[in-house]
Amino acid sequence: MIEHLPAVMIAIPLFGAFVAPLFKKKQNIAAVWAILITAVTVGLSLLLMYQVRLNGVIVYVFGADRPTLVLPSGYKVPIRIMFEIDGIGAFMAISATLMSFIGALYSYSHVKAESGLEKYYALLLLLEVGILGMVLTGDLFNLFVFLEIAGIAGSALVGFRNYRGEASEAGIKYLIVSAVASLMVLFAVGILYGEYGNLNLAYISKHISFNTLDMIAFGLLFTSFAMKCGSVPMHYWVPDAYTEVPAGINPILLVSTYASLYALFRVSFTLFANISISLARVGWIMSVLGVLTMFIGVTMALVQKDVKRLMSYHAISQTGYMLLGVGVGLTVLHDPKALAEFGKTAMAGGIFHIINHIIYKSLLLMAAGALFYVTGTRNLNEMGGLARKMPITTLCFIVGAAAISGLPPFNGFASKFLIYESSYRLNPLLAVFAMVTSILTLASFVKVFASAFLGPPLEKFEEAKEVPKPMIVAMVILALLCILFGLFPDVVLDKLVYPAVDALIKVAQYQTWGGLA
Amino acid sequence: MNGEVFMNFPFIIVALLLAIGFYTIGFKRNLIKVVIGIEILEGAVNLFLVALGYVRGGYAPIYTLAPQEAANPQNMVLPTPQALTLTSIVIGVAVSALMLAFAVNIYKHYGTLDVTKIRRLRG
């Protein structure tokens, strides 16, 4: 049973997704069903991480008992679809399943008033399948298929409130971006297949020669994944999509964005790891994109009036930190001394920031969703004096805001500090930009806090009450995680983050499947 | 026409279709036309995949009851790109259906399909 874990990871949420529409008459059961399924996947992903730490890279082959099965003619190439899970894959799987669970829990009350909930939960589980597939697969075409599944399910969820025109507008924007991006991924996959006659990531990365065609393929893959992870200058769809999606989906949509970021890292670190000279240049491009992303994102956020839109611009800005951290690592990948000195720390910072950001940004977006649930508006100028009415939401918001601004002892500080001190070693200017961004982030959250929670109580919110229990529980879990990850960053770094960093750096480990070729 | 150009003909068409597709997505104002642009892009990529696996004078990639000389890999059209194309077509149908559904919904709420006027989300 345990050896089929990778397939079960996909099969269970997929099964859940196709069963969910059956609960059309009893929408409460659909919600409980989704919570149940996502809870099971959380357990499975933890088990997967444990297995990866125990046995190293897991290679799972569909339709055969071992990966070394070759063609009858004896020609030794991988001929089946493979799942290949190393540290970073398992790390992303944990993030994805955890956030799906939190999202389903939060949705239980948040979208109760809407109709068609059985489809909502089916799409939620499908989105989870898409993300899990993307992060577990070891096959380029499979990556494209799961990218499309995540894209379709995600944009359908963005347009879920279809009685609002804005939701459809955001949905089609997201869908157009993701369709064009994944078609270009497919084009690049075609180029690579034409050259190497195989779709296996490990196989191609071993044989890659980096001629002009490879360079075109790399450019296409890099651009498409950067587009899908919301890096500047292709960030325009992010605020629309995050604003319009129901707040319960926000966490999982965030992870879906970072699954594209994972694909970007996978392509840069594994597929094209053997190009030694140009990789430093790619790393510089990634770092500079990261700095631009964080700075432009935060300056756009400062002027927003819509509370969810403001936080969506912060999501763009925080993506910049991850790009910066991992970009610094990529720049010095082929320089062992610099890599040991600060490259690894930078990457650990970038990857640690992924899970930290997912946690506190989900918390903040959910707090914004709670504000919307209570007040019926997202305009900051119309809110005020809600701190007394919603004490727990206020506390959760404070924790999230402190974490995103990088105040110790919250989790944002732990990862940002790693990025500051390591990017400083590559170029001091990078670290300066990162710190300025943090201060601007704090400034904009002070603005939100002052206008939504503080101030005199408004008459129209006289009747306002705290949000229902499932929403509270979801937020409190995330707030606790924020504090725990901030207090004990070493545990998370040792158990989750450094295995992920090692998985990215040690490409040879990924390339050997079952001793073949 | 010499053979070299003829073999590259599909790839020239692919380039042409890619150009038309990107032009349509970037410069047309009607939302339906943008969707058509994406469909053209998809056609280009699918044609690219199929052309990639084509072997001139090759056999159809069906292994059961294949003639003897088809067993040599050089004589058979590659099956994988065809499978990929089929998958990508199916996914493409889902994507375009969803896009058109969004377009209909947008028309219902905004009364227009002009992308320059569908701009309630801004700032």
Side-chain angles (χ1 to χ4, degrees):
Chain A
M1 188 59 201
I2 198 93
E3 69 267 21
H4 292 296
L5 196 58
V8 173
M9 286 287 295
I10 301 293
I12 285 185
L14 200 59
F15 171 72
F18 288 123
V19 169
L22 297 179
F23 302 116
K24 190 170 163 50
K25 293 277 159 57
K26 302 186 181 79
Q27 306 208 320
N28 269 342
I29 299 184
V32 174
W33 173 253
I35 294 172
L36 206 72
I37 292 281
T38 46
V40 171
T41 52
V42 173
L44 287 178
S45 68
L46 289 174
L47 195 61
L48 193 71
M49 188 72 199
Y50 176 72
Q51 287 289 320
V52 168
R53 279 180 59 82
L54 208 63
N55 304 331
V57 182
I58 299 179
V59 181
Y60 181 80
V61 191
F62 283 89
D65 52 356
R66 58 186 200 282
T68 46
L69 210 69
V70 293
L71 290 177
S73 57
Y75 183 44
K76 282 191 172 180
V77 289
I79 50 171
R80 282 184 165 78
I81 290 176
M82 285 183 192
F83 272 11
E84 198 162 346
I85 304 131
D86 54 4
I88 183 150
F91 171 79
M92 290 303 295
I94 288 180
S95 319
T97 50
L98 185 67
M99 286 305 138
S100 314
F101 173 64
I102 299 278
L105 192 64
Y106 184 88
S107 299
Y108 182 79
S109 315
H110 186 69
V111 292
K112 213 165 193 174
E114 317 265 344
S115 62
L117 285 183
E118 75 283 356
K119 296 170 199 109
Y120 174 92
Y121 288 109
L123 285 169
L124 188 154
L125 291 169
L126 264 187
L127 186 55
E128 191 189 358
V129 172
I131 297 166
L132 285 176
M134 272 177 77
V135 300
L136 300 185
T137 190
D139 184 285
L140 274 176
F141 187 70
N142 230 274
L143 182 70
F144 159 76
V145 172
F146 283 114
L147 187 69
E148 283 280 25
I149 293 176
I152 292 171
S155 52
L157 281 168
V158 171
F160 178 70
R161 292 195 168 115
N162 61 0
Y163 48 85
R164 288 168 54 85
E166 290 89 342
S168 295
E169 187 188 333
I172 200 165
K173 256 188 202 170
Y174 183 40
L175 191 53
I176 287 175
V177 168
S178 80
V180 172
S182 39
L183 278 176
M184 288 305 108
V185 169
L186 183 60
F187 193 61
V189 171
I191 292 174
L192 289 174
Y193 180 79
E195 275 191 282
Y196 302 105
N198 208 308
L199 290 164
N200 190 291
L201 259 167
Y203 181 86
I204 296 178
S205 78
K206 211 166 197 182
H207 293 256
I208 208 132
S209 58
F210 216 61
N211 49 27
T212 318
L213 272 176
D214 289 338
M215 214 154 4
I216 294 171
F218 188 31
L220 283 171
L221 287 172
F222 192 93
T223 326
S224 320
F225 288 132
M227 197 160 152
K228 278 224 65 177
C229 76
S231 140
V232 166
M234 289 85 77
H235 64 285
Y236 55 89
W237 62 270
V238 178
D240 296 353
Y242 285 5
T243 311
E244 284 305 321
V245 76
I249 298 300
N250 264 320
I252 179 161
L253 200 64
L254 270 166
V255 191
S256 138
T257 314
Y258 295 128
S260 304
L261 197 68
Y262 158 84
L264 182 63
F265 296 161
R266 180 58 86 204
V267 163
S268 317
F269 279 92
T270 306
L271 199 54
F272 291 93
N274 292 338
I275 51 163
S276 45
I277 309 155
S278 330
L279 210 54
R281 221 173 290 157
V282 177
W284 268 107
I285 293 174
M286 210 188 254
S287 315
V288 171
L289 268 185
V291 168
L292 281 177
T293 307
M294 65 172 81
F295 198 69
I296 291 175
V298 80
T299 43
M300 292 291 284
L302 275 171
V303 298
Q304 299 301 322
K305 284 200 291 286
D306 183 325
V307 56
K308 254 182 120 182
R309 205 171 171 81
L310 185 148
M311 291 177 188
S312 315
Y313 273 110
H314 279 298
I316 299 176
S317 154
Q318 302 293 313
T319 309
Y321 282 96
M322 305 157 202
L323 283 171
L324 174 62
V326 179
V328 168
L330 188 61
T331 313
V332 296
L333 185 64
H334 290 290
D335 180 356
K337 190 162 157 277
L339 186 67
E341 266 179 30
F342 61 91
K344 241 179 123 170
T345 322
M347 284 177 69
I351 289 168
F352 194 23
H353 204 66
I354 292 181
I355 195 160
N356 285 343
H357 176 245
I358 289 170
I359 289 172
Y360 59 64
K361 181 44 62 63
S362 307
L363 176 61
L364 287 168
L365 284 165
M366 282 169 158
L371 285 176
F372 179 68
Y373 185 87
V374 171
T375 64
T377 177
R378 287 197 303 249
N379 192 334
L380 279 173
N381 297 344
E382 292 171 15
M383 296 178 196
L386 288 167
R388 293 260 167 70
K389 307 276 181 199
M390 307 163 70
I392 303 178
T393 311
T394 313
L395 268 179
C396 291
F397 178 84
I398 292 173
V399 170
I404 196 176
S405 319
L407 298 181
F410 298 100
N411 60 356
F413 171 75
S415 50
K416 278 185 182 176
F417 190 65
L418 290 176
I419 296 173
Y420 295 153
E421 58 176 13
S422 51
S423 61
Y424 183 82
R425 298 288 303 278
L426 186 68
N427 193 328
L429 209 56
L430 297 175
V432 170
F433 268 105
M435 283 180 185
V436 170
T437 305
S438 265
I439 295 164
L440 290 176
T441 310
L442 185 61
S444 64
F445 275 95
V446 169
K447 170 184 159 183
V448 176
F449 186 63
S451 47
F453 294 105
L454 297 183
L458 297 183
E459 258 176 47
K460 58 181 169 180
F461 301 134
E462 204 62 44
E463 300 297 305
K465 275 202 299 287
E466 187 59 271
V467 290
K469 287 224 170 49
M471 288 164 78
I472 294 281
V473 171
M475 284 195 286
V476 167
I477 292 176
L478 288 182
L480 286 180
L481 279 178
C482 268
I483 296 169
L484 278 181
F485 277 31
L487 288 180
F488 308 105
D490 294 344
V491 179
V492 187
L493 278 172
D494 279 350
K495 296 260 187 263
L496 291 176
V497 177
Y498 274 111
V501 174
D502 286 337
L504 278 183
I505 293 174
K506 288 178 189 147
V507 66
Q509 208 181 12
Y510 191 83
Q511 283 169 338
T512 50
W513 12 263
L516 179 67
Chain B
M1 191 184 275
N2 72 38
E4 192 85 354
V5 173
F6 186 72
M7 276 309 285
N8 287 331
F9 191 60
F11 297 107
I12 297 167
I13 299 288
V14 167
L16 211 65
L17 283 177
L18 278 177
I20 295 173
F22 275 119
Y23 171 79
T24 317
I25 295 170
F27 295 99
K28 289 290 170 191
R29 289 175 140 206
N30 191 320
L31 208 49
I32 304 287
K33 287 185 184 164
V34 173
V35 175
I36 292 174
I38 290 178
E39 293 302 301
I40 295 174
L41 268 192
E42 200 195 311
V45 175
N46 286 340
L47 178 62
F48 177 69
L49 283 177
V50 169
L52 212 63
Y54 185 68
V55 174
R56 195 146 50 139
Y59 289 88
I62 301 165
Y63 284 98
T64 43
L65 300 179
Q68 196 62 49
E69 63 266 34
N72 188 349
Q74 268 85 47
N75 291 336
M76 197 181 261
V77 175
L78 298 183
T80 319
Q82 304 204 353
L84 301 192
T85 313
L86 274 177
T87 318
S88 136
I89 288 171
V90 173
I91 292 173
V93 170
V95 170
S96 54
L98 189 55
M99 273 194 290
L100 290 173
F102 276 138
V104 169
N105 209 359
I106 285 173
Y107 188 77
K108 231 163 61 186
H109 286 283
Y110 291 73
T112 177
L113 281 173
D114 188 334
V115 285
T116 54
K117 290 191 183 126
I118 306 170
R119 291 196 60 92
R120 277 191 215 161
L121 292 166
R122 54 164 80 231

